[in-house]
Amino acid sequence: MSADPTRPSHVPTCEEVLTFLWAYLDGELEETKRQEFDYHLSRCESCTAYLETYKTTIALERAAASHEGTAPDELPDELVEAVLAAVRGPRS
Amino acid sequence: MEGDEEVLRELRSGREEAYERLLRSEGARMLAVARRLLQNEEEARDAVQEAFISAFRSIGRFEGGCRISTWLHRIVVNSALMKLRGRKRRPEEPIEHLLPRFRDDGHQVEHPSLDWHASADVLVERREVRELVRGSIERLPETYRNVLILRDIEELTTEEAAKLLGITANAVKIRLHRARQALRTLLDPHLRGHQA
């Protein structure tokens, strides 16, 4: 069998890929390292699945926070009044 | 916010109506920010109250390099973080059991070969998924939860988060990654095989 011509001289392990996944996603890896990660990911189902669910996790965080449940429609009146009174200061 | 320059002019002139308009237009969103960080209603309200008072008193120093809402948001985040720092610290639970584990040869111990079968857009339409995500974020140790909220949800830059938390940019990146990994682990058993 002939050697894979696309195989980089160093192929990172799953541990290396998942430890530095943030740098891969943020585009912080140097080009050679990024190609090594691409090679690993193109051949490792586990890491590919991990990458996809990692990205879905980030999207879910943002989406869940932007949906209802944490934001009231308005600031409570007493809080508005308290701020205005404090800024107004004591009146003689 | 519409007409930031006009709003700023009115705020600087000390018009109470301008203060109240800003409180009513931005206040609810700011309270949601403080609630996410503090997970305590009373403290969240105090943080927002103190933040608005501080903002109005220092409006003269606002240089206009960003939107008023962005400036206000940073003040609220800072106010909430100060409250967190003032809390009695308890030892945090370790997070290692929520991170991926590897064999000696560097391969994963678990095989997350099953995808979640549905995109975030589809999953988030379900109330139980949204509650699961929010509940899982609350379960993260505070050190990790704060970084995750500041970076992923409040969308601060790495440098902004580092400055507010008093840690290095690199520490923010690593904590954020570990927080996302831990959150992924908490969600995984619930979302595996989740059909659209």
Side-chain angles (χ1 to χ4, degrees), chain A residues 14-15 18-19 22 28 46-47 49-50 53-54 57-59 61-65 67-68 70 72 75-78 82 84 86-88, chain B residues 16 19 24 27-28 32 35-36 45 53 57 100 102 106 108 111-112 116 120 124 127 130 134 148 152-153 173 177 180-181 183-184:
Chain A
C14 297
E15 183 169 9
L18 297 194
T19 302
W22 61 272
E28 290 197 16
S46 293
C47 284
Y50 193 95
T53 50
Y54 182 93
T57 298
I58 299 168
E61 290 169 37
R62 291 174 176 157
H67 276 65
E68 85 283 349
T70 51
L75 205 59
D77 282 339
E78 62 269 26
L84 293 176
V87 178
R88 208 180 287 138
Chain B
E16 190 166 310
Y19 294 152
R24 298 210 182 272
R35 280 177 179 160
R36 273 195 286 273
R45 289 185 182 204
I53 292 169
R57 285 181 176 158
F102 303 96
Q108 292 185 65
H111 288 274
W116 288 348
V124 83
R127 176 182 289 273
R130 295 197 296 270
R134 282 195 284 264
L148 182 126
D152 282 349
I153 297 175
K173 291 174 185 177
H177 179 52
R180 288 168 170 173
Q181 287 186 307
L183 181 60
R184 197 210 72 86

Short mmCIF file of all heavy atoms in Angstrom, two decimals, chain A residues 14-15 18-19 22 28 46-47 49-50 53-54 57-59 61-65 67-68 70 72 75-78 82 84 86-88, chain B residues 16 19 24 27-28 32 35-36 45 53 57 100 102 106 108 111-112 116 120 124 127 130 134 148 152-153 173 177 180-181 183-184:
data_model
loop_
_atom_site.label_atom_id
_atom_site.label_comp_id
_atom_site.label_asym_id
_atom_site.label_seq_id
_atom_site.Cartn_x
_atom_site.Cartn_y
_atom_site.Cartn_z
N CYS A 14 -5.94 12.64 19.77
CA CYS A 14 -7.24 13.20 20.19
C CYS A 14 -7.02 14.18 21.35
O CYS A 14 -7.64 15.24 21.41
CB CYS A 14 -8.19 12.09 20.66
SG CYS A 14 -8.63 10.89 19.39
N GLU A 15 -6.13 13.82 22.28
CA GLU A 15 -5.89 14.66 23.45
C GLU A 15 -5.40 16.04 23.03
O GLU A 15 -5.86 17.07 23.52
CB GLU A 15 -4.89 13.99 24.39
CG GLU A 15 -4.66 14.79 25.66
CD GLU A 15 -3.88 14.00 26.71
OE1 GLU A 15 -3.37 12.91 26.38
OE2 GLU A 15 -3.80 14.49 27.85
N LEU A 18 -8.34 17.97 21.22
CA LEU A 18 -9.42 18.47 22.08
C LEU A 18 -8.91 19.49 23.10
O LEU A 18 -9.64 20.38 23.50
CB LEU A 18 -10.11 17.31 22.79
CG LEU A 18 -10.83 16.30 21.89
CD1 LEU A 18 -11.76 15.42 22.70
CD2 LEU A 18 -11.61 16.98 20.77
N THR A 19 -7.64 19.39 23.47
CA THR A 19 -7.08 20.36 24.42
C THR A 19 -6.92 21.73 23.77
O THR A 19 -7.13 22.76 24.41
CB THR A 19 -5.71 19.86 24.95
OG1 THR A 19 -5.91 18.60 25.58
CG2 THR A 19 -5.12 20.84 25.95
N TRP A 22 -9.98 25.13 21.16
CA TRP A 22 -10.30 26.56 21.21
C TRP A 22 -9.40 27.35 20.26
O TRP A 22 -9.86 28.26 19.56
CB TRP A 22 -10.18 27.11 22.64
CG TRP A 22 -8.80 26.99 23.23
CD1 TRP A 22 -8.28 25.95 23.92
CD2 TRP A 22 -7.75 27.97 23.15
NE1 TRP A 22 -6.98 26.19 24.27
CE2 TRP A 22 -6.63 27.44 23.82
CE3 TRP A 22 -7.66 29.25 22.59
CZ2 TRP A 22 -5.43 28.13 23.95
CZ3 TRP A 22 -6.47 29.95 22.71
CH2 TRP A 22 -5.37 29.38 23.38
N GLU A 28 -6.22 30.51 15.91
CA GLU A 28 -4.96 30.91 16.55
C GLU A 28 -3.82 29.93 16.30
O GLU A 28 -2.71 30.14 16.78
CB GLU A 28 -5.17 31.10 18.05
CG GLU A 28 -6.01 32.32 18.37
CD GLU A 28 -5.89 32.76 19.81
OE1 GLU A 28 -4.94 32.33 20.50
OE2 GLU A 28 -6.75 33.53 20.26
N SER A 46 -14.69 10.38 16.33
CA SER A 46 -14.94 10.82 17.71
C SER A 46 -14.67 12.31 17.86
O SER A 46 -15.46 13.05 18.44
CB SER A 46 -14.05 10.05 18.68
OG SER A 46 -14.43 8.71 18.72
N CYS A 47 -13.53 12.75 17.34
CA CYS A 47 -13.18 14.17 17.49
C CYS A 47 -14.09 15.05 16.64
O CYS A 47 -14.42 16.16 17.04
CB CYS A 47 -11.71 14.40 17.14
SG CYS A 47 -10.59 13.84 18.44
N ALA A 49 -17.24 14.41 15.93
CA ALA A 49 -18.50 14.50 16.68
C ALA A 49 -18.34 15.44 17.86
O ALA A 49 -19.24 16.24 18.17
CB ALA A 49 -18.93 13.12 17.16
N TYR A 50 -17.18 15.36 18.51
CA TYR A 50 -16.93 16.24 19.66
C TYR A 50 -16.94 17.70 19.21
O TYR A 50 -17.57 18.56 19.84
CB TYR A 50 -15.59 15.91 20.32
CG TYR A 50 -15.43 16.55 21.68
CD1 TYR A 50 -15.75 15.86 22.83
CD2 TYR A 50 -14.99 17.87 21.79
CE1 TYR A 50 -15.64 16.45 24.08
CE2 TYR A 50 -14.88 18.48 23.03
CZ TYR A 50 -15.20 17.76 24.18
OH TYR A 50 -15.09 18.37 25.40
N THR A 53 -20.54 18.88 18.51
CA THR A 53 -21.36 19.09 19.71
C THR A 53 -20.80 20.25 20.55
O THR A 53 -21.55 20.93 21.23
CB THR A 53 -21.45 17.80 20.56
OG1 THR A 53 -20.13 17.27 20.77
CG2 THR A 53 -22.29 16.75 19.86
N TYR A 54 -19.50 20.48 20.47
CA TYR A 54 -18.88 21.63 21.16
C TYR A 54 -19.42 22.92 20.55
O TYR A 54 -19.80 23.86 21.26
CB TYR A 54 -17.37 21.52 20.99
CG TYR A 54 -16.51 22.59 21.66
CD1 TYR A 54 -15.99 22.39 22.94
CD2 TYR A 54 -16.19 23.77 21.00
CE1 TYR A 54 -15.17 23.34 23.53
CE2 TYR A 54 -15.37 24.72 21.59
CZ TYR A 54 -14.86 24.50 22.85
OH TYR A 54 -14.04 25.45 23.45
N THR A 57 -22.97 23.40 21.53
CA THR A 57 -23.05 23.86 22.93
C THR A 57 -22.96 25.39 22.99
O THR A 57 -23.77 26.04 23.68
CB THR A 57 -21.90 23.24 23.76
OG1 THR A 57 -22.05 21.82 23.76
CG2 THR A 57 -21.90 23.75 25.20
N ILE A 58 -22.02 25.95 22.27
CA ILE A 58 -21.85 27.42 22.28
C ILE A 58 -23.10 28.09 21.71
O ILE A 58 -23.61 29.07 22.27
CB ILE A 58 -20.60 27.82 21.45
CG1 ILE A 58 -19.35 27.20 22.05
CG2 ILE A 58 -20.47 29.35 21.39
CD1 ILE A 58 -18.11 27.30 21.15
N ALA A 59 -23.62 27.54 20.61
CA ALA A 59 -24.81 28.13 20.00
C ALA A 59 -26.01 28.03 20.95
O ALA A 59 -26.82 28.97 21.04
CB ALA A 59 -25.11 27.44 18.68
N GLU A 61 -25.92 27.95 24.28
CA GLU A 61 -25.76 28.92 25.37
C GLU A 61 -26.35 30.26 24.97
O GLU A 61 -27.10 30.89 25.72
CB GLU A 61 -24.28 29.22 25.62
CG GLU A 61 -23.44 28.16 26.21
CD GLU A 61 -21.98 28.60 26.10
OE1 GLU A 61 -21.68 29.80 26.23
OE2 GLU A 61 -21.13 27.74 25.84
N ARG A 62 -25.95 30.70 23.78
CA ARG A 62 -26.38 32.04 23.32
C ARG A 62 -27.86 32.08 23.06
O ARG A 62 -28.54 33.03 23.44
CB ARG A 62 -25.61 32.40 22.04
CG ARG A 62 -24.15 32.62 22.34
CD ARG A 62 -23.31 32.83 21.13
NE ARG A 62 -21.93 33.13 21.55
CZ ARG A 62 -20.87 32.95 20.80
NH1 ARG A 62 -20.99 32.49 19.57
NH2 ARG A 62 -19.67 33.26 21.26
N ALA A 63 -28.37 31.03 22.43
CA ALA A 63 -29.79 31.01 22.09
C ALA A 63 -30.65 30.92 23.35
O ALA A 63 -31.68 31.59 23.46
CB ALA A 63 -30.07 29.85 21.16
N ALA A 64 -30.24 30.09 24.30
CA ALA A 64 -31.03 29.92 25.52
C ALA A 64 -31.07 31.23 26.31
O ALA A 64 -32.09 31.58 26.91
CB ALA A 64 -30.45 28.80 26.39
N ALA A 65 -29.95 31.95 26.30
CA ALA A 65 -29.91 33.22 27.05
C ALA A 65 -30.77 34.29 26.38
O ALA A 65 -31.29 35.17 27.05
CB ALA A 65 -28.47 33.71 27.16
N HIS A 67 -33.55 33.76 24.77
CA HIS A 67 -34.98 33.46 24.85
C HIS A 67 -35.53 33.90 26.22
O HIS A 67 -34.79 34.29 27.10
CB HIS A 67 -35.23 31.97 24.64
CG HIS A 67 -35.30 31.59 23.20
ND1 HIS A 67 -34.22 31.70 22.36
CD2 HIS A 67 -36.33 31.12 22.44
CE1 HIS A 67 -34.58 31.30 21.14
NE2 HIS A 67 -35.84 30.95 21.16
N GLU A 68 -36.82 33.75 26.34
CA GLU A 68 -37.46 34.20 27.58
C GLU A 68 -36.96 33.41 28.78
O GLU A 68 -36.37 32.36 28.64
CB GLU A 68 -38.97 34.05 27.47
CG GLU A 68 -39.54 32.68 27.82
CD GLU A 68 -39.34 31.67 26.72
OE1 GLU A 68 -38.95 32.05 25.62
OE2 GLU A 68 -39.55 30.47 26.99
N THR A 70 -35.14 34.84 31.51
CA THR A 70 -34.24 35.60 32.37
C THR A 70 -34.53 37.09 32.32
O THR A 70 -34.11 37.82 33.19
CB THR A 70 -32.77 35.39 31.94
OG1 THR A 70 -32.66 35.63 30.54
CG2 THR A 70 -32.31 33.98 32.26
N PRO A 72 -37.05 40.24 32.49
CA PRO A 72 -38.40 40.76 32.75
C PRO A 72 -38.75 41.76 31.65
O PRO A 72 -37.88 42.24 30.93
CB PRO A 72 -38.24 41.46 34.09
CG PRO A 72 -36.81 41.90 34.12
CD PRO A 72 -36.04 40.88 33.32
N LEU A 75 -38.01 47.03 34.08
CA LEU A 75 -37.35 47.14 35.39
C LEU A 75 -38.44 47.45 36.42
O LEU A 75 -39.32 48.27 36.15
CB LEU A 75 -36.34 48.28 35.32
CG LEU A 75 -35.15 48.25 36.27
CD1 LEU A 75 -34.32 47.00 36.07
CD2 LEU A 75 -34.29 49.49 36.04
N PRO A 76 -38.41 46.83 37.61
CA PRO A 76 -39.43 47.14 38.62
C PRO A 76 -39.43 48.64 38.95
O PRO A 76 -38.38 49.27 39.05
CB PRO A 76 -38.98 46.31 39.83
CG PRO A 76 -38.12 45.23 39.26
CD PRO A 76 -37.47 45.80 38.05
N ASP A 77 -40.66 49.18 39.13
CA ASP A 77 -40.81 50.62 39.39
C ASP A 77 -40.00 51.08 40.60
O ASP A 77 -39.43 52.16 40.60
CB ASP A 77 -42.29 50.95 39.61
CG ASP A 77 -43.04 51.01 38.29
OD1 ASP A 77 -42.38 51.19 37.24
OD2 ASP A 77 -44.26 50.86 38.31
N GLU A 78 -39.98 50.24 41.64
CA GLU A 78 -39.29 50.68 42.86
C GLU A 78 -37.79 50.84 42.61
O GLU A 78 -37.13 51.69 43.22
CB GLU A 78 -39.56 49.73 44.04
CG GLU A 78 -39.10 48.30 43.87
CD GLU A 78 -40.16 47.39 43.26
OE1 GLU A 78 -41.04 47.90 42.54
OE2 GLU A 78 -40.09 46.17 43.50
N ALA A 82 -35.75 54.26 43.01
CA ALA A 82 -34.59 54.29 43.90
C ALA A 82 -33.39 54.93 43.20
O ALA A 82 -32.65 55.73 43.80
CB ALA A 82 -34.23 52.87 44.36
N LEU A 84 -33.53 57.06 40.61
CA LEU A 84 -33.81 58.48 40.38
C LEU A 84 -33.65 59.29 41.67
O LEU A 84 -33.10 60.39 41.66
CB LEU A 84 -35.22 58.66 39.80
CG LEU A 84 -35.42 58.09 38.39
CD1 LEU A 84 -36.88 58.24 37.96
CD2 LEU A 84 -34.49 58.75 37.38
N ALA A 86 -31.71 58.58 44.19
CA ALA A 86 -30.29 58.66 44.54
C ALA A 86 -29.57 59.70 43.68
O ALA A 86 -28.71 60.44 44.18
CB ALA A 86 -29.63 57.29 44.35
N VAL A 87 -29.94 59.77 42.42
CA VAL A 87 -29.27 60.72 41.52
C VAL A 87 -29.73 62.15 41.81
O VAL A 87 -28.95 63.10 41.72
CB VAL A 87 -29.53 60.35 40.04
CG1 VAL A 87 -28.88 61.35 39.11
CG2 VAL A 87 -28.99 58.96 39.75
N ARG A 88 -31.03 62.24 42.17
CA ARG A 88 -31.61 63.55 42.49
C ARG A 88 -30.91 64.14 43.73
O ARG A 88 -30.67 65.33 43.80
CB ARG A 88 -33.09 63.34 42.81
CG ARG A 88 -33.99 64.51 42.52
CD ARG A 88 -35.40 64.12 42.89
NE ARG A 88 -36.01 63.18 41.94
CZ ARG A 88 -36.75 62.12 42.29
NH1 ARG A 88 -36.97 61.83 43.56
NH2 ARG A 88 -37.27 61.34 41.37
N GLU B 16 -34.14 64.50 34.43
CA GLU B 16 -34.62 63.26 35.05
C GLU B 16 -35.38 62.38 34.06
O GLU B 16 -35.31 61.15 34.12
CB GLU B 16 -35.50 63.59 36.26
CG GLU B 16 -35.82 62.36 37.09
CD GLU B 16 -36.38 62.68 38.45
OE1 GLU B 16 -35.77 63.51 39.17
OE2 GLU B 16 -37.42 62.12 38.80
N TYR B 19 -32.94 60.19 32.33
CA TYR B 19 -32.52 59.08 33.18
C TYR B 19 -33.59 57.97 33.17
O TYR B 19 -33.30 56.79 33.02
CB TYR B 19 -32.31 59.53 34.63
CG TYR B 19 -31.18 60.50 34.86
CD1 TYR B 19 -31.23 61.40 35.92
CD2 TYR B 19 -30.04 60.49 34.06
CE1 TYR B 19 -30.19 62.29 36.17
CE2 TYR B 19 -28.99 61.38 34.30
CZ TYR B 19 -29.07 62.27 35.36
OH TYR B 19 -28.05 63.14 35.60
N ARG B 24 -35.79 52.68 31.78
CA ARG B 24 -36.89 51.84 31.29
C ARG B 24 -36.55 51.13 29.98
O ARG B 24 -37.04 50.05 29.72
CB ARG B 24 -38.16 52.68 31.14
CG ARG B 24 -38.63 53.25 32.47
CD ARG B 24 -40.13 53.43 32.55
NE ARG B 24 -40.52 54.03 33.84
CZ ARG B 24 -40.78 53.33 34.94
NH1 ARG B 24 -40.70 52.01 34.93
NH2 ARG B 24 -41.14 53.94 36.05
N GLY B 27 -33.03 48.93 31.33
CA GLY B 27 -32.98 48.32 32.66
C GLY B 27 -33.27 46.84 32.71
O GLY B 27 -32.56 46.08 33.38
N ALA B 28 -34.30 46.41 31.98
CA ALA B 28 -34.68 45.00 32.05
C ALA B 28 -33.56 44.10 31.52
O ALA B 28 -33.25 43.06 32.10
CB ALA B 28 -35.96 44.77 31.25
N ALA B 32 -31.29 41.29 33.60
CA ALA B 32 -31.07 39.91 33.14
C ALA B 32 -29.59 39.55 33.18
O ALA B 32 -29.21 38.44 33.56
CB ALA B 32 -31.62 39.73 31.72
N ARG B 35 -28.64 39.04 36.81
CA ARG B 35 -29.20 37.78 37.31
C ARG B 35 -28.37 36.60 36.85
O ARG B 35 -28.14 35.65 37.61
CB ARG B 35 -30.63 37.59 36.78
CG ARG B 35 -31.66 38.37 37.53
CD ARG B 35 -33.00 38.17 36.87
NE ARG B 35 -34.06 38.87 37.58
CZ ARG B 35 -35.22 39.18 37.03
NH1 ARG B 35 -35.47 38.86 35.78
NH2 ARG B 35 -36.13 39.81 37.73
N ARG B 36 -27.94 36.63 35.59
CA ARG B 36 -27.15 35.51 35.07
C ARG B 36 -25.86 35.35 35.87
O ARG B 36 -25.44 34.25 36.19
CB ARG B 36 -26.81 35.74 33.59
CG ARG B 36 -27.88 35.22 32.65
CD ARG B 36 -27.35 35.12 31.24
NE ARG B 36 -27.21 36.41 30.60
CZ ARG B 36 -28.19 37.03 29.93
NH1 ARG B 36 -29.36 36.48 29.82
NH2 ARG B 36 -27.98 38.20 29.37
N ARG B 45 -30.63 43.01 41.66
CA ARG B 45 -31.29 44.33 41.68
C ARG B 45 -30.35 45.38 42.27
O ARG B 45 -30.28 46.50 41.76
CB ARG B 45 -32.59 44.27 42.49
CG ARG B 45 -33.68 43.50 41.77
CD ARG B 45 -34.99 43.54 42.51
NE ARG B 45 -35.98 42.75 41.80
CZ ARG B 45 -37.29 42.93 41.91
NH1 ARG B 45 -37.77 43.87 42.69
NH2 ARG B 45 -38.13 42.17 41.24
N ILE B 53 -26.78 54.24 39.03
CA ILE B 53 -26.42 55.44 39.80
C ILE B 53 -24.99 55.86 39.43
O ILE B 53 -24.72 57.04 39.15
CB ILE B 53 -26.54 55.18 41.33
CG1 ILE B 53 -28.01 54.98 41.71
CG2 ILE B 53 -25.93 56.33 42.13
CD1 ILE B 53 -28.23 54.46 43.12
N ARG B 57 -23.97 59.33 37.45
CA ARG B 57 -23.07 60.28 38.13
C ARG B 57 -21.79 60.52 37.34
O ARG B 57 -21.12 61.52 37.52
CB ARG B 57 -22.75 59.79 39.54
CG ARG B 57 -23.93 60.00 40.48
CD ARG B 57 -23.62 59.54 41.89
NE ARG B 57 -24.74 59.85 42.79
CZ ARG B 57 -24.96 59.23 43.94
NH1 ARG B 57 -24.13 58.29 44.34
NH2 ARG B 57 -25.98 59.57 44.69
N PRO B 100 -12.99 15.83 28.85
CA PRO B 100 -12.73 14.57 28.17
C PRO B 100 -11.54 13.83 28.80
O PRO B 100 -10.61 14.47 29.28
CB PRO B 100 -12.43 14.98 26.73
CG PRO B 100 -12.31 16.44 26.71
CD PRO B 100 -12.85 17.00 27.97
N PHE B 102 -8.56 10.68 28.45
CA PHE B 102 -7.78 10.08 27.37
C PHE B 102 -6.99 8.88 27.89
O PHE B 102 -6.59 8.84 29.05
CB PHE B 102 -6.80 11.12 26.80
CG PHE B 102 -7.51 12.36 26.30
CD1 PHE B 102 -7.61 13.49 27.10
CD2 PHE B 102 -8.09 12.38 25.04
CE1 PHE B 102 -8.27 14.63 26.67
CE2 PHE B 102 -8.76 13.52 24.60
CZ PHE B 102 -8.85 14.64 25.41
N GLY B 106 -3.33 8.68 24.00
CA GLY B 106 -3.90 9.97 23.58
C GLY B 106 -5.27 9.88 22.94
O GLY B 106 -5.86 10.89 22.58
N GLN B 108 -9.41 9.19 22.92
CA GLN B 108 -10.47 9.45 23.90
C GLN B 108 -10.91 8.15 24.56
O GLN B 108 -11.00 7.11 23.91
CB GLN B 108 -11.70 10.06 23.21
CG GLN B 108 -11.47 11.46 22.68
CD GLN B 108 -12.76 12.05 22.11
OE1 GLN B 108 -13.71 12.28 22.84
NE2 GLN B 108 -12.78 12.29 20.82
N HIS B 111 -16.35 7.59 23.52
CA HIS B 111 -16.46 7.87 22.09
C HIS B 111 -17.77 8.61 21.82
O HIS B 111 -18.81 7.98 21.74
CB HIS B 111 -16.40 6.58 21.27
CG HIS B 111 -15.03 6.01 21.25
ND1 HIS B 111 -14.07 6.39 20.35
CD2 HIS B 111 -14.42 5.12 22.07
CE1 HIS B 111 -12.94 5.76 20.59
NE2 HIS B 111 -13.13 4.98 21.64
N PRO B 112 -17.66 9.92 21.69
CA PRO B 112 -18.89 10.67 21.43
C PRO B 112 -19.28 10.57 19.96
O PRO B 112 -19.39 11.54 19.25
CB PRO B 112 -18.51 12.11 21.80
CG PRO B 112 -17.05 12.18 21.53
CD PRO B 112 -16.50 10.79 21.74
N TRP B 116 -25.75 15.01 18.09
CA TRP B 116 -26.98 15.37 18.80
C TRP B 116 -28.20 15.39 17.87
O TRP B 116 -29.29 15.70 18.29
CB TRP B 116 -26.81 16.70 19.53
CG TRP B 116 -25.92 16.59 20.72
CD1 TRP B 116 -25.48 15.44 21.31
CD2 TRP B 116 -25.35 17.65 21.50
NE1 TRP B 116 -24.66 15.72 22.38
CE2 TRP B 116 -24.57 17.07 22.53
CE3 TRP B 116 -25.42 19.04 21.42
CZ2 TRP B 116 -23.87 17.84 23.46
CZ3 TRP B 116 -24.73 19.80 22.35
CH2 TRP B 116 -23.96 19.20 23.36
N ALA B 120 -28.60 23.53 16.76
CA ALA B 120 -28.93 24.38 17.91
C ALA B 120 -30.24 25.14 17.65
O ALA B 120 -31.06 25.30 18.56
CB ALA B 120 -27.79 25.36 18.17
N VAL B 124 -33.14 24.63 20.43
CA VAL B 124 -33.46 25.74 21.34
C VAL B 124 -34.93 26.15 21.27
O VAL B 124 -35.41 26.89 22.13
CB VAL B 124 -32.52 26.94 21.06
CG1 VAL B 124 -33.02 27.78 19.90
CG2 VAL B 124 -32.33 27.78 22.31
N ARG B 127 -38.63 24.30 25.01
CA ARG B 127 -38.49 24.90 26.34
C ARG B 127 -37.61 24.05 27.25
O ARG B 127 -36.77 24.57 27.98
CB ARG B 127 -39.87 25.09 26.97
CG ARG B 127 -39.82 25.63 28.41
CD ARG B 127 -41.22 25.75 28.98
NE ARG B 127 -41.94 26.82 28.35
CZ ARG B 127 -41.90 28.09 28.76
NH1 ARG B 127 -41.15 28.43 29.78
NH2 ARG B 127 -42.60 29.02 28.15
N ARG B 130 -34.00 24.61 26.55
CA ARG B 130 -33.52 25.92 27.05
C ARG B 130 -33.31 25.85 28.57
O ARG B 130 -32.31 26.35 29.10
CB ARG B 130 -34.53 27.01 26.72
CG ARG B 130 -34.69 27.27 25.23
CD ARG B 130 -35.36 28.61 24.99
NE ARG B 130 -36.71 28.69 25.50
CZ ARG B 130 -37.81 28.35 24.81
NH1 ARG B 130 -37.69 27.90 23.58
NH2 ARG B 130 -39.01 28.48 25.34
N ARG B 134 -29.76 26.37 30.56
CA ARG B 134 -29.60 27.36 31.64
C ARG B 134 -29.25 26.68 32.96
O ARG B 134 -28.37 27.13 33.70
CB ARG B 134 -30.87 28.19 31.78
CG ARG B 134 -31.00 29.27 30.71
CD ARG B 134 -32.05 30.30 31.09
NE ARG B 134 -33.39 29.76 30.90
CZ ARG B 134 -34.12 29.97 29.79
NH1 ARG B 134 -33.63 30.68 28.81
NH2 ARG B 134 -35.32 29.46 29.68
N LEU B 148 -17.56 31.91 31.00
CA LEU B 148 -18.46 31.48 29.93
C LEU B 148 -19.55 32.53 29.68
O LEU B 148 -19.87 32.87 28.54
CB LEU B 148 -19.07 30.13 30.31
CG LEU B 148 -20.00 29.51 29.28
CD1 LEU B 148 -19.55 28.09 28.95
CD2 LEU B 148 -21.42 29.47 29.77
N ASP B 152 -19.22 34.13 26.10
CA ASP B 152 -20.15 33.55 25.13
C ASP B 152 -21.52 34.23 25.13
O ASP B 152 -22.15 34.32 24.09
CB ASP B 152 -20.35 32.05 25.40
CG ASP B 152 -19.19 31.22 24.89
OD1 ASP B 152 -18.35 31.77 24.15
OD2 ASP B 152 -19.12 30.03 25.23
N ILE B 153 -21.97 34.67 26.28
CA ILE B 153 -23.34 35.20 26.34
C ILE B 153 -23.32 36.73 26.31
O ILE B 153 -24.05 37.35 25.54
CB ILE B 153 -24.07 34.66 27.59
CG1 ILE B 153 -24.19 33.14 27.46
CG2 ILE B 153 -25.45 35.32 27.74
CD1 ILE B 153 -24.78 32.43 28.64
N LYS B 173 -8.97 32.29 28.00
CA LYS B 173 -9.16 31.34 26.89
C LYS B 173 -9.24 29.90 27.40
O LYS B 173 -10.09 29.12 26.96
CB LYS B 173 -7.99 31.46 25.90
CG LYS B 173 -7.99 32.78 25.13
CD LYS B 173 -6.74 32.88 24.27
CE LYS B 173 -6.65 34.23 23.60
NZ LYS B 173 -5.41 34.39 22.83
N HIS B 177 -12.61 27.48 27.46
CA HIS B 177 -12.61 26.18 26.78
C HIS B 177 -13.06 25.08 27.73
O HIS B 177 -13.91 24.23 27.39
CB HIS B 177 -11.22 25.91 26.23
CG HIS B 177 -11.08 24.60 25.53
ND1 HIS B 177 -11.93 24.20 24.52
CD2 HIS B 177 -10.19 23.57 25.69
CE1 HIS B 177 -11.57 23.00 24.09
NE2 HIS B 177 -10.53 22.60 24.79
N ARG B 180 -16.77 25.34 28.43
CA ARG B 180 -17.59 24.82 27.32
C ARG B 180 -17.54 23.30 27.28
O ARG B 180 -18.54 22.64 27.03
CB ARG B 180 -17.04 25.37 25.99
CG ARG B 180 -17.31 26.85 25.76
CD ARG B 180 -16.48 27.31 24.58
NE ARG B 180 -16.79 28.64 24.11
CZ ARG B 180 -16.07 29.26 23.17
NH1 ARG B 180 -15.02 28.66 22.64
NH2 ARG B 180 -16.42 30.47 22.76
N GLN B 181 -16.35 22.74 27.55
CA GLN B 181 -16.24 21.28 27.55
C GLN B 181 -17.11 20.67 28.65
O GLN B 181 -17.78 19.67 28.45
CB GLN B 181 -14.78 20.87 27.76
CG GLN B 181 -13.89 21.12 26.54
CD GLN B 181 -12.50 20.56 26.74
OE1 GLN B 181 -11.84 20.86 27.73
NE2 GLN B 181 -12.04 19.75 25.81
N LEU B 183 -19.74 22.02 30.06
CA LEU B 183 -21.15 22.20 29.70
C LEU B 183 -21.56 21.17 28.66
O LEU B 183 -22.65 20.58 28.75
CB LEU B 183 -21.37 23.62 29.18
CG LEU B 183 -22.81 23.98 28.80
CD1 LEU B 183 -23.76 23.85 29.98
CD2 LEU B 183 -22.86 25.42 28.24
N ARG B 184 -20.69 20.93 27.69
CA ARG B 184 -20.99 19.92 26.66
C ARG B 184 -21.23 18.56 27.31
O ARG B 184 -22.15 17.83 26.95
CB ARG B 184 -19.83 19.83 25.66
CG ARG B 184 -20.16 19.16 24.35
CD ARG B 184 -18.94 18.46 23.76
NE ARG B 184 -18.61 17.27 24.53
CZ ARG B 184 -19.14 16.06 24.33
NH1 ARG B 184 -19.99 15.86 23.35
NH2 ARG B 184 -18.82 15.04 25.11
#
